[in-house]
Amino acid sequence: MALRGRTAGELKGRQIASLLLLLVIFALGSQTVPLYSDWLWFQEIKLPSVFLTILTTKLLLAVTSGLAFAVLLYVNLLLASRFTATDVLLEVEDRFGLPSRLVIEPYFRRLLLPGALGLGVLSAFQAAGEWESYLRFANTLPFGVPDPIFQKDASFYVFRLPFLSFLYNWLMASLGLTFLLTTLTYLLYRGIQITARGPIIARLARTHLLVLGALLLLTKAFGFKLDTYQLLFSPRGLVFGAGYADINANLPALKFLMILAIFAAILCLAQITQRGWRLVLGGLGLLVAASVIGLALYPGFIQRFRVVPNEIVAESPYITHSIRFTRQAYGLDRIDEVEFPAEEKLTREDLRRNDLTIKNIRLWDHRPLLTTYGQLQEIRTYYKFVDVDNDRYQIDGEYRQVMLSAREMSYQHLPSRSWINEHLIFTHGYGAVLGPVNRITPEGLPEFLIKDIPPVSTGPIKVTRPEIYYGEVANDYVIVKTQAQELDYPSGDKNVYSTYAGKGGVPLDSSARKLLFAARFGTLKILLSSDLTAESRIMYHRQISERVRKAVPFLRFDRDPYLVISRDGRLSWIIDAYTVSDRYPYSEPIRGMGNYIRNSVKAVVDAYDGSLAFYMADPTDPVIRVYAQAFPGLFRPLDAMPADLKDRLRYPQGMFTIQAKLFSTYHMRDPQVFYNKEDLWSIPRKAMEGREAEMEPYYTIMRLPGEKKEEFILLLPFTPNKKDNMIAWLAARSDPPHYGKLIAYNFPKAKLVYGPRQIDARIDQDSFISQQLSLWSQRGSSVIRGSLLAIPIERSLLYVQPLYLAAEKGSLPELKRIIVAHGNDIAMEETLERALTQVFGGTARAPVASKAEAGGAQTAARDGSLKVLASRAYDHYARAQELLRQGNFAGYGEEVKRLESVLKELRARAGR
């Protein structure tokens, strides 16, 4: 009977072991399909070395970690079972009702190896996830910046400390679990017996557990050592990083605890030769008591009675550290600060000298323009404009700012969402629209330099390859070069079809490949479709942001890829990539990002074939140099980028926004001023769609003070905290040779300079403007107020705000008025030129070259209509009456003169 029971137990043990083995094989096998399809994709984009480097690193960590943990566990549990066989001769009593050792033995013997391997697999999966921190650790390069406390280079914290922390956590978890399972094994094998008189522990079991305890305490001592470095990321103090209490209380306590943990480990080993548990319990008691006192009570006491009564004196050195390292981490130390007088002496002659700046003032906001583009140029319901990008091109010899948007395929708007339609026929978007930022038609709609399907160009910029297979929106996959005709573009009542002629996609040249992707995308149609041929190619990871993240998962990418047109007419996407870290000492973190950032890479994706290129934009960044060392050949020098694409590079809004937010605080470099927040700035807020939000940075072409020519600038104003007047503005330069340079223009602190909210309020209080807005609203139209742009010109500021009208039941915004403000003067006119003339006087020229901006008289003559002139006459009359009621006789006289001029012109037109 005993033999039969033992045989049955062995059989069950084998079954359980087989089940565990099958689970492990299934877990590994389920990764085969995505792994191999990813390998084919990396071959397609010509980056197989990136795939292999990441995979081999994961395997190295997984195998090392998994085997180490499995061996550690297996050896200790095996020793526990063997020790009890020779050391335990008598089972005193069983208070838990455990089965006999003879029953447990066959199960244990069968499950020990597969169980250790199974737990090792779990450890392997966890370790494989640390591939990036290991690559940083293995390829460390110096920053050349020592921390102020331990004098260790910042590279230790950014590259080495994260992996060392992982090793510590792995050791603690492995040893801790081994200790617990070893203890459980001794309980099952009666090496530890719980009796009414207390626990009885066999001699070898006691020795074994004491050795494991000593190893745990030595590992904990290593953890205390790492914790001393972690103090530089303490969030407890006045600023991020170690403060007075951390350095003068926590740091000595951690050093003491490290020594005490080593001492407690020695006591564990000494206890082997001594009876009882006095040494171990004494050591552990001291360690726990010291932890509570040294890490909780004592730092709190120091903070309350030493720091708080004299905080600025105590914390001043650490505030200085935080300011310096935060400015380094975000590149704020590279910002040049200059004075800007913000005079209110802008003249018509100044505008003429800055003619190109005036011509490039953006009158079209992204949101209303996107809606208008959709109504005018989507052509079919399945085409959508997802975003409007801001760029600049040379047009007819002039440097002009333009708005550009790709016409992409929207699969959710297909007339019939069958598998063939989604994956074989409707495979790509088509073309783009492009127009100047400031030109409008007489109807208040944007002018186009590129429009329609196929693309029609009225300027030097041509689109020769309009197909967009890779864009900002995409489905899971499409298959090209099939027997099904691909829709190229609609033409009247018919469609024009084409066959893909590029090299994008993975070849489906065998049944095995079809089976692979059928499993990958969960459909048999890929395997069974008769439309697929030996030439067919499957395109996946077509969405731009997803594509670049898949290719280089260790970089953080900007949320806004932008479309560019190369000199040969091809469409490409450029997306900015960032190196980030949350381990830069003393640097203030930003939630979800970290506390270190550099715009170190520019990625280019071809819209037709999906080819990828990554260019190193900031070779001074140690993080990108570490990745370049880990992935040889991945990053190309920026000089290798084609010149026509290099001309399209712009400073990224995402990084600029982060820098601006931090600069609003960290422009203060004096610790006393910083502590008191005496000069704290804010980003102005504006009303948008019924809620208030911070102003977004905006691109413009302008001539910076002291420079000789205009350039593409990203800028953002600042206001003092909780005030609305402007105090400074920050500019980022995008044109070579000054790309990436940031300049802060500080206003005189004793001078009141109107900020955006104050200008908005003055616009609302202007009776003439508010009357017009009310009239438009009463006529069933919705008034959309565009972004209020502050344009620095010479030594002054010019504010410009466009107004759009949209029918309440329609969605076609039309640009109807331009508001211009300078100093105390505000004007609202139909064109920017006339508004500038209203504010600055002089004869209306045509510095803003457009069909509508060529002057009101030329527009009326060209259109053969008197409606515009009549509307202008009424506007001047209403404004004159309002100025008369206000007692502003000078302004009343000017308006009457303008009214007279318009009436004369109206009479002349009427007489023709």
Side-chain angles (χ1 to χ4, degrees), residues 62-77 115-124 126 170-179 181:
V63 171
T64 303
S65 171
L67 281 180
F69 179 72
V71 168
L72 177 69
L73 188 61
Y74 179 83
V75 169
N76 279 277
L77 296 187
L117 289 175
L119 291 173
V121 168
L122 296 178
S123 176
Q126 181 188 15
W170 182 87
L171 283 171
M172 285 298 293
S174 300
L175 289 171
L177 186 58
T178 299
F179 183 89
L181 291 178

Side-chain angles (χ1 to χ4, degrees), residues 401-456:
Q401 188 175 356
V402 298
M403 307 294 272
L404 177 65
S405 187
R407 187 184 292 106
E408 300 202 49
M409 179 65 67
S410 176
Y411 291 91
Q412 62 181 348
H413 293 97
L414 288 178
S416 173
R417 298 192 64 181
S418 64
W419 183 82
I420 292 179
N421 276 350
E422 284 200 47
H423 301 288
L424 304 185
I425 297 177
F426 294 89
T427 56
H428 57 275
Y430 200 86
V433 293
L434 180 144
V437 295
N438 65 323
R439 290 186 183 176
I440 56 173
T441 66
E443 295 79 22
L445 299 176
E447 282 193 8
F448 294 101
L449 297 175
I450 298 176
K451 63 178 180 177
D452 295 342
I453 297 178
V456 176

Side-chain angles (χ1 to χ4, degrees), residues 146-152 157 228 232 242 247 251 318 321 586:
D147 79 84
I149 305 301
F150 303 105
Q151 299 304 308
K152 283 187 171 292
Y157 301 95
T228 61
L232 271 61
I247 298 303
L251 181 58
Y318 310 105
H321 299 332
Y586 270 109

Side-chain angles (χ1 to χ4, degrees), residues 523-790:
T523 175
L524 288 174
K525 293 176 181 177
I526 296 177
L527 183 63
L528 302 177
S529 175
S530 60
D531 290 317
L532 273 61
T533 70
E535 299 296 320
S536 297
R537 306 175 76 89
I538 183 168
M539 298 176 173
Y540 50 108
H541 299 312
R542 296 193 303 133
Q543 202 268 344
I544 296 302
S545 296
E546 177 200 2
R547 190 171 184 82
V548 291
R549 288 189 182 99
K550 184 71 177 178
V552 281
F554 44 86
L555 296 181
R556 189 81 58 90
F557 287 89
D558 196 85
R559 63 182 181 180
D560 183 27
Y562 56 99
L563 187 71
V564 299
I565 304 173
S566 62
R567 193 171 291 120
D568 62 359
R570 292 183 72 95
L571 299 177
S572 298
W573 299 91
I574 297 179
I575 182 168
D576 289 280
Y578 308 114
T579 51
V580 298
S581 174
D582 59 358
R583 297 279 89 189
Y584 201 82
Y586 270 109
S587 175
E588 181 71 27
I590 291 179
R591 181 179 298 177
M593 197 281 294
N595 66 356
Y596 174 92
I597 184 171
R598 289 289 185 273
N599 175 214
S600 295
V601 174
K602 304 287 185 179
V604 179
V605 185
D606 189 280
Y608 186 68
D609 61 25
S611 57
L612 290 163
F614 298 93
Y615 298 93
M616 191 184 296
D618 185 1
T620 64
D621 173 29
V623 180
I624 199 60
R625 288 193 287 116
V626 162
Y627 285 132
Q629 190 168 283
F631 299 94
L634 172 59
F635 302 109
R636 308 176 190 180
L638 193 60
D639 291 339
M641 179 183 283
D644 53 343
L645 293 181
K646 196 172 181 180
D647 289 342
R648 305 277 72 79
L649 296 182
R650 66 186 194 186
Y651 201 86
Q653 281 183 299
M655 181 165 176
F656 186 79
T657 300
I658 291 171
Q659 290 176 307
K661 287 181 178 179
L662 285 158
F663 190 69
S664 65
T665 299
Y666 285 89
H667 68 277
M668 298 180 286
R669 280 174 274 185
D670 182 272
Q672 178 81 43
V673 175
F674 187 95
Y675 175 81
N676 293 321
K677 300 294 187 285
E678 297 175 23
D679 193 21
L680 186 64
W681 296 349
S682 297
I683 296 174
R685 302 183 70 83
K686 64 174 182 178
M688 186 174 63
E689 297 177 356
R691 60 183 180 85
E692 280 208 342
E694 288 183 346
M695 281 186 68
E696 297 175 350
Y698 50 92
Y699 293 100
T700 189
I701 289 179
M702 59 169 287
R703 181 158 53 87
L704 290 172
E707 297 295 330
K708 295 182 179 180
K709 69 173 186 176
E710 285 78 8
E711 53 188 294
F712 196 54
I713 298 293
L714 179 62
L715 60 87
L716 186 68
F718 292 105
T719 61
N721 190 40
K722 297 181 181 179
K723 293 185 178 180
D724 294 330
N725 60 290
M726 195 184 295
I727 192 67
W729 57 281
L730 182 65
R733 308 173 77 171
S734 294
D735 290 346
H738 304 295
Y739 176 85
K741 299 293 179 64
L742 276 73
I743 306 175
Y745 292 90
N746 300 324
F747 295 176
K749 289 184 170 56
K751 185 174 183 178
L752 174 64
V753 180
Y754 289 127
R757 289 188 70 169
Q758 291 173 321
I759 295 294
D760 260 334
R762 293 188 61 220
I763 291 172
D764 292 335
Q765 293 164 9
D766 187 284
S767 56
F768 174 72
I769 296 176
S770 61
Q771 181 185 34
Q772 289 287 2
L773 298 180
S774 299
L775 284 173
W776 285 326
S777 299
Q778 291 169 8
R779 293 172 184 169
S781 297
S782 174
V783 179
I784 303 171
R785 293 176 66 164
S787 297
L788 181 63
L789 305 180

Side-chain angles (χ1 to χ4, degrees), residues 48-101:
S49 60
V50 175
F51 178 87
L52 290 175
T53 299
I54 295 175
L55 180 61
T56 53
T57 304
K58 286 182 175 181
L59 288 175
L60 173 66
L61 292 173
V63 171
T64 303
S65 171
L67 281 180
F69 179 72
V71 168
L72 177 69
L73 188 61
Y74 179 83
V75 169
N76 279 277
L77 296 187
L78 183 64
L79 288 175
S81 65
R82 296 288 177 83
F83 285 165
T84 52
T86 58
D87 200 39
V88 179
L89 302 177
L90 179 66
E91 296 183 17
V92 179
E93 61 181 282
D94 182 13
R95 298 176 63 86
F96 299 112
L98 297 174
S100 168
R101 284 186 294 174

Side-chain angles (χ1 to χ4, degrees), residues 345-476:
K345 300 177 181 178
L346 202 59
T347 66
R348 190 74 190 186
E349 187 58 35
D350 294 330
L351 298 185
R352 291 192 178 96
R353 282 198 304 270
N354 292 270
D355 182 54
L356 195 57
T357 299
I358 301 298
K359 286 181 179 180
N360 285 286
I361 292 176
R362 177 168 59 84
L363 302 182
W364 283 104
D365 265 16
H366 294 76
R367 293 175 184 86
L369 184 61
L370 187 62
T371 303
T372 302
Y373 277 174
Q375 290 293 312
L376 298 177
Q377 282 289 310
E378 280 179 355
I379 312 296
R380 292 289 189 271
T381 57
Y382 45 77
Y383 288 130
K384 293 296 175 186
F385 293 105
V386 179
D387 188 22
V388 179
D389 297 316
N390 209 308
D391 209 339
R392 72 285 194 201
Y393 289 82
Q394 288 286 341
I395 300 174
D396 297 330
E398 281 195 323
Y399 198 42
R400 301 306 298 269
Q401 188 175 356
V402 298
M403 307 294 272
L404 177 65
S405 187
R407 187 184 292 106
E408 300 202 49
M409 179 65 67
S410 176
Y411 291 91
Q412 62 181 348
H413 293 97
L414 288 178
S416 173
R417 298 192 64 181
S418 64
W419 183 82
I420 292 179
N421 276 350
E422 284 200 47
H423 301 288
L424 304 185
I425 297 177
F426 294 89
T427 56
H428 57 275
Y430 200 86
V433 293
L434 180 144
V437 295
N438 65 323
R439 290 186 183 176
I440 56 173
T441 66
E443 295 79 22
L445 299 176
E447 282 193 8
F448 294 101
L449 297 175
I450 298 176
K451 63 178 180 177
D452 295 342
I453 297 178
V456 176
S457 175
T458 58
I461 306 172
K462 312 289 184 183
V463 176
T464 59
R465 178 57 79 183
E467 300 91 342
I468 301 174
Y469 284 88
Y470 300 86
E472 292 190 76
V473 292
N475 61 356
D476 292 340

